[in-house]
Amino acid sequence: MSEKGQKSENTSDDTKQHFALEPYVVKNPDEFSKNLAKMIEAAGQAASEWLKPREEGSIEETSDSTSELTNTFSKLTEYWLSDPQRAIEAQTKLFSGFMGVWSNSIQRLNDSTVPEAVDASHDKRFKDEDWSNQPFFSFLKQTYLVTSQWAEDLVADSELDPHTKHKAEFYVKQVTGALSPSNFMISNPEVFKETIATNGANLVEGMKMLADDIRDGKGDLKLRQVDGSKFVVGENLATTPGKVIARSDLIELIQYTPTTDKVLKRPLLICPPWINKFYILDLNPEKSFIKWAVDQGHTVFVMAWVNPDERHKNMDWTDYIHEGLFFALDNIEKATGEKQVNAIGYCVGGTLLATALGYMAQIGDTRIATSTFFTTQVDFTHAGDLKVFVDEEQLSKLEEQMHKKGYLEGSKMATAFNMLRAGDMIWPYMVNNYMRGKAPTPFDLLYWNSDATRMACTNHLFYLRNCYYENRLSQGTMRIGGKQVDLSKVTIPIYNLAAKEDHIAPALSVFEGSKFFGGDVTYVMGGSGHIAGVVNPPAKKKYQFWTGGKVEGDFAKWVDKAEETAGSWWDHWNTWIRTQDDTEVAARKKHGGNKLKPLCDAPGTYVKVRS
């Protein structure tokens, strides 16, 4: 090769290297410096918003948020350090992982075709090509992945009691997720390049947004997951026509307007969870289970729970059954003349419904003819990561806190649920909002998710102790209204829907819970998770569901033998309901019938109360 040709080739290599680094070189130092100063000023405002309520005493800081993590990690550390040989092996494993990454990185500097030592191709946190193409970010990513896997292995290989081990697994995932290099500007190539391209303007906007979100959270960060300005409940959410026909201290009972000439004789009562708002089943006309059920010829009634405050402090599950579920049944009979209904319970609303069925079996109340459960647990042996938050020490602290106000702030429950899927529900928004400086987009599902509800003190503590902690419902030792609840005495037909990827009511937990009922249970497993697995209209033709034989034996074996059907389970459920009784009557067009006067239009007033 000629000298001229060689020089040209070297120049080309230098140019490639130059362009590889160019996105990381500040183009306008003056503008960048000005924006850094603005960012610091905005960060100071955010700090001020955080400090102000603490200085005023409206927020009392406690160590609860970190004490559980610290105590759990102390037990894990004690296990590994109690045996010197075991500790050396653990350290050697980590060192070996680091050396593997170091050796691989040296090889890749000389030959970019060498694959990375740790494959992260399916990890959406590292989708930017520079996570692999740039040596610095590649090394950082791989070192992090080796370390986080090592930490998870420490828990998996430990011999701790089951609850402590479960907590350790959960907290390790929280910590490693938080410490991902993708969560920091200087170590995230995508954010780094955007910071350079905007001369730091993204950081300024991000800090302003952070200050606003702390202000909106009254001193705590209220993580913005959605542009909420685009949604109004009753205008473009929860729009299925209907009327509130009755109101108690706990619920507004909504009767929806029929769209068919004939309807099933048995009305349909939906008991939604009070941990969030009922309009997850009525987001918009295309997604609405409520509208779809009306269109299938059901007279649909929905219990819209109150967003509780200090007035509801001493109401427990007995009150929620009598002033909620039984109040609804009483008024459905007044409105329709029918003495029996088909009932649906969703999540904790389903757990309440199951409890009520056990109680009703004891007192001879037969007003519920069939029961459908959406992602509902009655046995909490396999209840998933929420059990991490439930033990005697944590319950005692929570009880002390809740008695001061009479309720738990909705933000606390929202944070707990977000932590179950922090990789989807927390860190992407932290990066997008506060580092990239971009406001989240409008999305009805996330607006609903952010529309948190408070938890009444006595009722919430009863739920946590009797279900998650002591598992009394499935054991037959829970007492309601002076009666001992026994699910084996519940012999009505049951349709029990689980969701394959549910992290709140795991499919295994729902399956095992089905075994405690005394009658015929049709167990169905839908695709996706706790929300998408339920809100899956047939027209979307998404996901799938599995049906099989009797609920018995091992869950994995049931799944292996189950029949998979593409699309939504909604039509399958409707066929099941009509199989129980398909007697029809003329559509009930007068809301409340002749005995009740409508109070207001759906979706009512309770659902509009913000926390």
Side-chain angles (χ1 to χ4, degrees):
M1 181 181 294
S2 67
E3 181 180 346
K4 181 178 179 180
Q6 184 175 0
K7 181 177 180 182
S8 175
E9 183 175 332
N10 290 340
T11 301
S12 177
D13 289 342
D14 290 343
T15 300
K16 289 179 182 177
Q17 182 68 13
H18 170 71
F19 280 117
L21 295 176
E22 187 177 11
Y24 300 96
V25 178
V26 176
K27 310 296 189 305
N28 189 334
D30 289 341
E31 185 69 18
F32 192 81
S33 297
K34 290 177 182 177
N35 279 330
L36 284 183
K38 293 178 182 178
M39 181 204 73
I40 293 171
E41 182 181 356
Q45 182 60 40
S48 176
E49 295 293 346
W50 186 86
L51 286 169
K52 184 178 178 181
R54 287 160 176 80
E55 293 173 343
E56 294 174 345
S58 57
I59 291 181
E60 295 181 12
E61 287 291 357
T62 67
S63 59
D64 293 350
S65 58
T66 57
S67 62
E68 282 300 315
L69 182 148
T70 303
N71 291 340
T72 302
F73 281 179
S74 294
K75 293 176 182 178
L76 180 64
T77 303
E78 182 181 353
Y79 170 81
W80 283 99
L81 294 182
S82 63
D83 183 336
Q85 182 62 33
R86 191 160 55 202
I88 291 172
E89 289 175 357
Q91 294 173 45
T92 301
K93 184 177 180 180
L94 179 61
F95 181 73
S96 176
F98 286 161
M99 290 304 297
V101 171
W102 178 258
S103 175
N104 175 261
S105 298
I106 296 298
Q107 287 181 283
R108 283 170 52 79
L109 282 174
N110 297 316
D111 183 358
S112 61
T113 63
V114 173
E116 293 176 295
V118 184
D119 180 26
S121 57
H122 299 297
D123 194 326
K124 58 188 176 183
R125 293 175 296 180
F126 307 116
K127 62 183 179 180
D128 189 282
E129 61 182 15
D130 279 1
W131 280 113
S132 295
N133 294 345
Q134 285 287 352
F136 169 74
F137 293 113
S138 175
F139 178 78
L140 196 62
K141 173 192 68 178
Q142 292 187 84
T143 302
Y144 161 75
L145 291 171
V146 165
T147 306
S148 56
Q149 184 60 58
W150 174 79
E152 290 181 16
D153 289 344
L154 283 183
V155 180
D157 297 338
S158 65
E159 297 178 3
L160 302 172
D161 69 85
H163 183 60
T164 301
K165 190 168 186 175
H166 189 182
K167 289 199 292 184
E169 290 171 347
F170 180 79
Y171 289 133
V172 162
K173 287 180 181 178
Q174 296 298 316
V175 171
T176 57
L179 295 177
S180 171
S182 59
N183 295 336
F184 303 92
M185 186 276 290
I186 197 69
S187 57
N188 184 327
E190 190 175 4
V191 178
F192 200 131
K193 288 182 286 188
E194 190 164 351
T195 300
I196 298 301
T198 65
N199 289 308
N202 58 311
L203 300 180
V204 178
E205 291 303 313
M207 287 302 101
K208 289 180 179 178
M209 203 179 304
L210 179 63
D212 290 342
D213 290 352
I214 294 175
R215 184 183 306 114
D216 289 345
K218 299 177 182 178
D220 288 324
L221 176 61
K222 186 177 182 180
L223 182 61
R224 193 182 318 187
Q225 297 172 323
V226 64
D227 178 3
S229 65
K230 307 298 182 182
F231 300 104
V232 179
V233 174
E235 293 184 13
N236 57 4
L237 296 171
T239 59
T240 301
K243 301 284 186 182
V244 172
I245 62 166
R247 182 183 292 127
S248 73
D249 287 340
L250 284 176
I251 71 161
E252 288 183 328
L253 181 64
I254 302 171
Q255 179 181 359
Y256 287 91
T257 305
T259 58
T260 56
D261 293 331
K262 295 284 187 178
V263 296
L264 284 177
K265 187 173 184 291
R266 284 181 185 165
L268 178 66
L269 171 62
I270 300 177
C271 178
W274 55 84
I275 286 176
N276 36 47
K277 295 184 177 178
F278 82 86
Y279 65 87
I280 186 58
L281 296 175
D282 192 26
L283 283 173
N284 62 48
E286 290 73 33
K287 298 177 184 176
S288 174
F289 177 84
I290 291 172
K291 180 183 183 302
W292 178 85
V294 169
D295 292 341
Q296 306 312 304
H298 294 275
T299 304
V300 178
F301 293 84
V302 170
M303 298 161 52
W305 294 101
V306 72
N307 196 345
D309 53 35
E310 60 276 0
R311 295 170 300 168
H312 306 91
K313 175 180 179 178
N314 296 317
M315 288 186 166
D316 64 7
W317 267 42
T318 299
D319 296 305
Y320 270 59
I321 287 173
H322 281 281
E323 295 194 39
L325 187 65
F326 286 4
F327 176 82
L329 291 172
D330 291 342
N331 284 283
I332 289 173
E333 184 175 349
K334 292 177 184 177
T336 67
E338 296 299 326
K339 296 183 181 298
Q340 284 198 315
V341 306
N342 297 314
I344 293 176
Y346 191 172
C347 188
V348 67
T351 309
L352 182 81
L353 174 59
T355 304
L357 288 172
Y359 173 66
M360 294 166 79
Q362 295 281 34
I363 62 176
D365 189 333
T366 60
R367 287 181 291 175
I368 296 178
T370 73
S371 182
T372 297
F373 297 112
F374 294 167
T375 58
T376 292
Q377 297 180 101
V378 297
D379 177 69
F380 290 76
T381 304
H382 307 283
D385 284 343
L386 279 175
K387 290 186 74 173
V388 165
F389 303 109
V390 183
D391 52 41
E392 185 56 48
E393 184 178 358
Q394 292 183 86
L395 284 174
S396 296
K397 290 177 181 177
L398 181 62
E399 186 172 8
E400 182 181 350
Q401 293 170 10
M402 290 186 73
H403 274 299
K404 291 179 181 178
K405 284 188 174 181
Y407 57 86
L408 181 69
E409 290 287 359
S411 59
K412 303 297 184 183
M413 284 301 300
T415 298
F417 281 116
N418 285 339
M419 286 176 68
L420 299 182
R421 295 177 57 207
D424 294 320
M425 302 303 294
I426 296 178
W427 301 114
Y429 297 99
M430 296 289 285
V431 173
N432 181 76
N433 298 3
Y434 310 133
M435 281 180 269
R436 300 186 67 194
K438 297 183 182 297
T441 57
F443 184 25
D444 54 8
L445 178 59
L446 286 177
Y447 178 84
W448 167 85
N449 187 64
S450 69
D451 192 4
T453 56
R454 296 179 287 267
M455 299 295 106
C457 177
T458 304
N459 182 64
H460 191 53
L461 291 170
F462 181 95
Y463 173 52
L464 293 179
R465 282 195 176 276
N466 281 266
C467 294
Y468 273 95
Y469 187 43
E470 298 173 349
N471 203 15
R472 287 180 171 271
L473 181 55
S474 62
Q475 293 175 4
T477 57
M478 181 186 287
R479 297 188 69 83
I480 294 292
K483 302 290 184 180
Q484 196 159 306
V485 176
D486 183 356
L487 293 180
S488 69
K489 297 186 182 300
V490 177
T491 58
I492 63 173
I494 288 174
Y495 188 100
N496 208 2
L497 175 76
K500 184 179 181 181
E501 300 167 17
D502 197 338
H503 59 286
I504 295 173
L508 168 62
S509 183
V510 177
F511 179 84
E512 293 298 331
S514 300
K515 298 175 181 178
F516 290 91
F517 294 103
D520 180 58
V521 177
T522 300
Y523 176 83
V524 177
M525 183 173 70
S528 196
H530 194 72
I531 302 301
V534 174
V535 185
N536 182 26
K540 295 290 185 181
K541 298 180 179 179
K542 292 179 67 176
Y543 309 125
Q544 67 284 103
F545 64 95
W546 290 264
T547 55
K550 187 176 180 181
V551 179
E552 60 184 5
D554 183 69
F555 174 60
K557 291 181 180 178
W558 185 94
V559 173
D560 287 341
K561 295 179 181 178
E563 179 183 352
E564 181 178 343
T565 303
S568 173
W569 53 269
W570 289 13
D571 286 321
H572 181 268
W573 168 82
N574 194 48
T575 299
W576 179 85
I577 280 283
R578 286 184 171 272
T579 299
Q580 310 308 316
D581 188 340
D582 64 352
T583 306
E584 293 186 332
V585 297
R588 301 168 175 113
K589 297 182 178 180
K590 186 176 182 180
H591 299 93
N594 295 319
K595 294 184 178 180
L596 299 174
K597 182 179 179 181
L599 304 177
C600 63
D601 289 335
T605 61
Y606 282 0
V607 73
K608 296 179 181 179
V609 176
R610 303 279 293 185
S611 295

